[in-house]
Amino acid sequence: MKCSEAVFSTLCLALFLFVSTVDGFWSNTKINTIDPHQCWSAAFMADGNRFKFQYHRNNPIEAPRTYIDGKHHYIWSSSFRKGQTLFISGKFNWLMGPGHTFVINLLGGVPTVDPDAGADVLHIRFTFDARSGQGGNIIFNTFKKGKWLEEVKAINPFRANHGFWLTITALDTKFEIRTYGHKLLEYHYRLPLDYITYINAVGDDTNLERVFLGGQIMKAPLRVIVPEGGFREGDYVLFDAIPSNFDWGIKFSDGKNLILQITANMEQKVMTMNSRINRQWGEELRATSFPFEAGTMFNMEVNIYHSRADIRVFGNTIALFPHRVNSTAYGELTFFGSLQIRTLNFCSNKFLAPWFNTEDLNYRAGYMTNKTVPYGD
């Protein structure tokens, strides 16, 4: 039996609207753009040998969720370039029990895993022992041309009802995955990096706290001219780095005097601070702890306040150094010794009105070079 032209047109229109609604459901959903830094507000971010400025965050510091496909996912729209690192920290908020997993996907084409579309460049699934809540396995894979490839497994060092910290760095031919700063696995690319258009994370009662994707790989010695003429009270430098077995440190200068030198002695496991003003060394101070290990990534920040510098590792203060010159003299710094730097941000308390032309600040001041100079000689 043939349908009349009117009925046929109505059915076709209904079918078209249904398909459009299903296929376009996620495309009409506002998906956040991932932030390229971990500062609370404005940030100068290392970009080549210069600094790019972002005057506010795209998202709150605590990762937001997006409602899609009937679930509240963590989803961001993002590319992924060689040298960049994806940082994810949070907490598994469940006690002992079966069936708990947490999954991270670096997706191409679609924001959620779809067996009929797109690709999963890197799929990471965390499993936990059902009885103890201890880590089970971490399973790595790639979804390519409608098929999952061969799994790669590693031991899961995380625990249920505990916090976690994970990094994924894009190297030349592979991802480097670290947990708590320790290298866990290298996963060779099975699809090109430029396939990645979305980052997705989903899990049972898992709260992500900080997520950002940025940085570049740099090595000491590295001299850095601080953007916008130097530090202001309340500003801080924030970086992630990997030391080796040899000593490393940071020199802060006004261009002539060494106003703060931080030195990490990897053999003796001691961090010291001192200054050299008008060619005279001052009293050496020691940090209260030494949270550094060869080959393990750490997160460090140096906060500049009115009367002191506050040195923190993973957010915990390990040393206070009273200023021996004006705090505004902190105009440049040099990383020295055996250190690989993965991210470098200058976090600013600068307030800019929304209508301010921030493009004028991009690359306007601040730069990096491996040509260092002596201070105070």
Side-chain angles (χ1 to χ4, degrees):
M1 183 176 66
K2 295 182 179 180
C3 295
S4 68
E5 185 176 346
V7 172
F8 180 77
S9 299
T10 302
L11 289 174
C12 287
L13 178 60
L15 179 61
F16 172 77
L17 290 174
F18 173 76
V19 172
S20 298
T21 301
V22 173
D23 290 345
F25 175 78
W26 63 263
S27 63
N28 294 324
T29 302
K30 184 182 183 300
I31 296 178
N32 297 309
T33 301
I34 200 165
D35 279 293
H37 64 88
Q38 53 188 323
C39 300
W40 284 90
S41 54
F44 289 92
M45 303 159 287
D47 187 21
N49 64 350
R50 301 174 297 177
F51 289 89
K52 189 171 183 179
F53 183 71
Q54 181 176 325
Y55 88 99
H56 68 82
R57 297 184 58 84
N58 296 316
N59 307 296
I61 194 74
E62 185 173 346
R65 293 180 185 264
T66 301
Y67 187 77
I68 191 171
D69 289 344
K71 296 181 180 179
H72 285 91
H73 298 267
Y74 293 100
I75 300 177
W76 296 270
S77 172
S78 180
S79 60
F80 205 143
R81 301 193 308 273
K82 288 181 182 179
Q84 289 186 318
T85 299
L86 174 64
F87 292 77
I88 302 177
S89 63
K91 185 178 181 180
F92 302 115
N93 290 326
W94 66 76
L95 297 174
M96 294 179 292
H100 290 292
T101 60
F102 174 60
V103 178
I104 298 170
N105 299 293
L106 307 185
L107 296 158
V110 293
T112 60
V113 177
D114 187 338
D116 299 318
D120 198 342
V121 177
L122 179 60
H123 170 86
I124 307 176
R125 179 161 55 92
F126 302 81
T127 64
F128 296 85
D129 183 86
R131 292 173 295 176
S132 67
Q134 299 285 345
N137 290 315
I138 304 179
I139 300 169
F140 303 84
N141 209 340
T142 297
F143 186 72
K144 179 181 179 181
K145 295 182 178 179
K147 294 182 180 180
W148 288 104
L149 305 184
E150 184 178 357
E151 291 182 347
V152 176
K153 292 185 178 181
I155 300 298
N156 183 2
F158 301 134
R159 297 177 59 189
N161 206 36
H162 281 71
F164 68 92
W165 181 48
L166 170 79
T167 62
I168 303 169
T169 301
L171 303 179
D172 287 339
T173 61
K174 58 197 173 185
F175 290 109
E176 178 198 83
I177 293 94
R178 291 175 177 264
T179 55
Y180 299 124
H182 300 277
K183 185 188 291 187
L184 177 73
L185 184 81
E186 293 180 342
Y187 186 89
H188 286 267
Y189 300 139
R190 297 174 176 182
L191 283 170
L193 272 178
D194 59 12
Y195 271 50
I196 298 172
T197 52
Y198 295 98
I199 295 170
N200 168 297
V202 62
D204 301 318
D205 299 320
T206 300
N207 287 336
L208 300 188
E209 295 169 357
R210 294 196 185 188
V211 178
F212 74 97
L213 172 62
Q216 61 187 32
I217 297 176
M218 300 165 281
K219 291 184 178 180
L222 183 70
R223 182 185 177 206
V224 182
I225 305 302
V226 180
E228 288 298 286
F231 286 92
R232 296 170 179 80
E233 185 178 352
D235 291 350
Y236 56 103
V237 58
L238 182 58
F239 67 94
D240 296 270
I242 304 170
S244 72
N245 289 310
F246 302 99
D247 296 353
W248 59 272
I250 316 172
K251 299 177 181 180
F252 291 83
S253 175
D254 58 3
K256 181 169 66 174
N257 294 306
L258 187 57
I259 57 179
L260 169 58
Q261 177 171 297
I262 303 171
T263 304
N265 187 313
M266 298 298 289
E267 181 179 2
Q268 298 180 11
K269 298 188 181 304
V270 173
M271 174 170 276
T272 58
M273 286 74 58
N274 207 341
S275 63
R276 191 180 186 212
I277 311 298
N278 297 324
R279 300 185 179 184
Q280 296 294 319
W281 285 102
E283 179 186 1
E284 184 177 88
L285 304 178
R286 288 195 173 194
T288 57
S289 62
F290 192 82
F292 309 105
E293 181 181 344
T296 300
M297 186 186 296
F298 65 88
N299 174 271
M300 183 171 177
E301 58 187 279
V302 180
N303 296 263
I304 305 301
Y305 297 115
H306 176 68
S307 61
R308 70 188 188 281
D310 184 348
I311 302 162
R312 303 175 187 175
V313 177
F314 296 113
N316 299 314
T317 296
I318 64 168
L320 296 174
F321 186 82
H323 297 317
R324 295 169 180 175
V325 294
N326 193 306
S327 63
T328 59
Y330 288 72
E332 62 182 77
L333 60 93
T334 297
F335 293 94
F336 65 90
S338 183
L339 195 67
Q340 185 186 90
I341 304 150
R342 292 285 174 92
T343 69
L344 176 60
N345 299 149
F346 288 96
C347 305
S348 176
N349 63 3
K350 178 192 296 288
F351 172 79
L352 294 178
W355 55 85
F356 186 85
N357 184 10
T358 57
E359 292 300 320
D360 290 345
L361 277 175
N362 281 354
Y363 308 121
R364 192 177 74 180
Y367 66 90
M368 294 168 286
T369 177
N370 58 6
K371 297 180 179 179
T372 60
V373 296
Y375 298 121
D377 292 339

